[in-house]
Amino acid sequence: MSPRDYVGGAPRIWPVRLHVLACITAAAWVAVSALQQGIVAGWVAFWVLGIAAVAFAPWKPQLGPIAFVALTYSVPRYSETFKGLLGTHILDWAAWLAFAGWLVWTLRSRTRLVLTSPLVLLMIAFAIWVGISAAAAAWAGPPWAPLPEHHPVQFVHAALLLMVAAHVLSSREAGWQFALAVCAAVTANALLQGVSGIYLEGDIAALSVIALSLAVLGARIAPNLPLRGLFVALGAALLVIFGSAQNRAAGVALVCALLAASWNMRHRWRWLAVGLPVVLVTVIVLLPAGYLHRFQAIWDPQANHPTAGLDRATVNERLELWRAGHRMVCDQPWLGVGIGRYPQVVGVNMGPMHDKYVAHNSLVHLAAETGIPGAALFVLLFAVAIVSLQRMLSAKVEDWRRADIIAVQVALVAYLAAGWFISRHDLVLAYILVGWAAALREFGRR
């Protein structure tokens, strides 16, 4: 064993062995727990493989975020299988093991840490504030019982994986591999549900738009023609998912994503004046007529298409939920009502039929639950990420990093736009993208 295999007098091989042993133990626990809950064997096998893949993180640290997104976003969010995924705490295992694998990798590779990166520091501050809000919620009444799909533990996952991403998504290889995992997971999710399952489903629609920019990225930077063709096919599938879901929040997100992408294209004004209108008209022509009718119901009270009643009702319902969130902010402007407690409090204010509702607006939801400071930190985190990426583009980056920077920025814009109409303040993928932005910013200086 060479001197380089020692850190502080202890062989480096032992952290690797401990990590692999932890992954094997977690995989076994996941298998037993999932089978006891009656999860289909195919899903159990996939989850075990996902955890097992993290065992290789000390050599390929990007496998941590890749495994996490594969496990999380390939499962339909509103299915019994997803409840099983949460109930077995597989995502907790995946996040912590990804973080541990990254730590072991840093020992082996002596990688420079970016703990003082503004984005990392902002995430730490945001996570601490969320923790304070969670503690306040735990002490307050009624009993703290957050919805499983919006449990505050997701912010722990977000902080851990942002840290990992900030150190490992700085290379061309890691970029296209992570993009492939996201696109494949979202596509698989939709295929499992079928067209009828994704119709009007906001989660898969928003994910399809966020992932679309990553599909374009992969088509540009993947190392060979077959992989680039695969990304093109996945991009086409994501567009089909978007059109089939007919979700209005995703439609707004797509328009904002196109504007963000066009802003950084060469001959920007020519593209904005000519290219963007052509793309928008093409998209409108190809979209199902029912999709456009869903927007018509917002301003036309006489609209009578098949979903007109539902479309108007959801608009009115969102306005009521936003007003309820505003009242919570006014009542508790500093700590909010407690992270995870919006559904409980809104149920008290609007009646028990609303006690499973979220604000359908990420910013309103966070402001209501964590107060104005929590919402401000959230906005600052994503604003700094987008501005940092824009500054890198202004520095005339011309290699593959330019494609990475644009794709991450567009994906973040799509996420924020969709979040104006759905509550995905706890979407871990978005925080991984912020970590990716930090990696491009910090390691691009080398």
Side-chain angles (χ1 to χ4, degrees):
M1 190 176 290
S2 69
R4 289 182 299 176
D5 290 323
Y6 288 82
V7 176
R12 286 194 206 176
I13 193 67
W14 285 108
V16 174
R17 289 177 176 175
L18 287 173
H19 176 73
V20 172
L21 179 61
C23 290
I24 293 172
T25 304
W29 189 90
V30 163
V32 173
S33 178
L35 289 172
Q36 286 178 343
Q37 293 191 35
I39 303 297
V40 176
W43 278 117
V44 177
F46 177 69
W47 294 346
V48 168
L49 285 173
I51 295 295
V54 187
F56 296 93
W59 296 274
K60 292 284 187 180
Q62 64 265 36
L63 285 174
I66 286 173
F68 187 90
V69 300
L71 290 168
T72 307
Y73 303 112
S74 60
V75 183
R77 184 174 174 82
Y78 303 105
S79 66
E80 291 299 318
T81 304
F82 191 77
K83 293 179 182 178
L85 181 73
L86 299 178
T88 51
H89 301 285
I90 295 168
L91 300 182
D92 299 337
W93 282 106
W96 280 106
L97 289 171
F99 185 75
W102 163 70
L103 287 177
V104 176
W105 173 73
T106 61
L107 289 174
R108 296 182 69 251
S109 63
R110 299 183 184 274
T111 299
R112 178 174 64 86
L113 300 181
V114 295
L115 301 181
T116 57
S117 166
L119 291 171
V120 172
L121 292 175
L122 279 171
M123 185 67 218
I124 292 172
F126 178 57
I128 290 173
W129 190 262
V130 169
I132 293 171
S133 177
W139 283 97
W144 185 48
L147 298 177
E149 62 270 25
H150 286 287
H151 198 284
V153 73
Q154 292 178 85
F155 290 105
V156 177
H157 302 163
L160 294 173
L161 289 164
L162 184 149
M163 185 75 72
V164 175
H167 292 83
V168 307
L169 293 183
S170 58
S171 69
R172 180 173 183 170
E173 177 189 46
W176 72 257
Q177 289 176 353
F178 180 75
L180 181 61
V182 174
C183 296
V186 175
T187 303
N189 184 325
L191 288 173
L192 289 167
Q193 294 188 72
V195 174
S196 61
I198 66 174
Y199 178 58
L200 303 185
E201 208 259 78
D203 184 69
I204 193 68
L207 285 172
S208 69
V209 178
I210 295 170
L212 188 59
S213 68
L214 302 184
V216 175
L217 170 66
R220 294 187 63 183
I221 71 169
N224 55 58
L225 189 59
L227 274 173
R228 292 183 181 183
L230 176 59
F231 273 107
V232 171
L234 287 170
L238 292 168
L239 284 173
V240 172
I241 294 167
F242 164 78
S244 300
Q246 298 189 24
N247 179 264
R248 287 173 292 185
V252 174
L254 181 63
V255 172
C256 292
L258 287 171
L259 287 170
S262 63
W263 185 257
N264 290 305
M265 286 187 174
R266 293 177 174 84
H267 310 296
R268 174 195 310 166
W269 297 113
R270 187 184 306 172
W271 164 251
L272 286 171
V274 180
L276 184 60
V278 171
V279 170
L280 289 175
V281 169
T282 302
V283 170
I284 290 172
V285 169
L286 294 177
L287 283 176
Y291 199 167
L292 301 178
H293 289 156
R294 296 205 69 213
F295 288 93
Q296 181 185 355
I298 297 174
W299 61 80
D300 183 5
Q302 305 303 319
N304 58 1
H305 55 276
T307 61
L310 173 66
D311 297 339
R312 282 190 288 267
T314 53
V315 170
N316 294 329
E317 188 174 68
R318 275 166 170 73
L319 293 174
E320 286 298 318
L321 290 168
W322 295 352
R323 292 188 190 104
H326 178 258
R327 289 195 294 269
M328 293 180 206
V329 176
C330 292
D331 292 340
Q332 301 286 342
W334 296 109
L335 287 174
V337 299
I339 190 72
R341 288 195 64 217
Y342 179 96
Q344 291 175 278
V345 178
V346 82
V348 172
N349 293 337
M350 297 177 63
M353 67 174 292
H354 291 87
D355 63 357
K356 299 296 182 184
Y357 278 48
V358 292
H360 289 284
N361 181 297
S362 294
L363 190 58
V364 171
H365 197 116
L366 260 180
E369 290 193 343
T370 65
I372 295 173
L377 285 169
F378 172 82
V379 171
L380 192 59
L381 175 67
F382 286 94
V384 170
I386 291 173
V387 171
S388 296
L389 292 166
Q390 190 61 45
R391 286 180 176 175
M392 284 186 272
L393 290 172
S394 299
K396 306 299 182 184
V397 177
E398 294 297 339
D399 59 4
W400 58 267
R401 287 184 180 84
R402 179 177 177 83
D404 270 33
I405 292 167
I406 293 175
V408 174
Q409 186 184 63
V410 170
L412 287 172
V413 168
Y415 162 72
L416 293 173
W420 200 252
F421 305 99
I422 58 176
S423 288
R424 293 315 311 271
H425 52 289
D426 49 11
L427 183 72
V428 178
L429 173 60
Y431 296 91
I432 297 176
L433 292 172
V434 172
W436 194 349
L440 293 170
R441 178 182 185 274
E442 298 298 328
F443 289 94
R445 297 176 176 179
R446 294 183 298 182

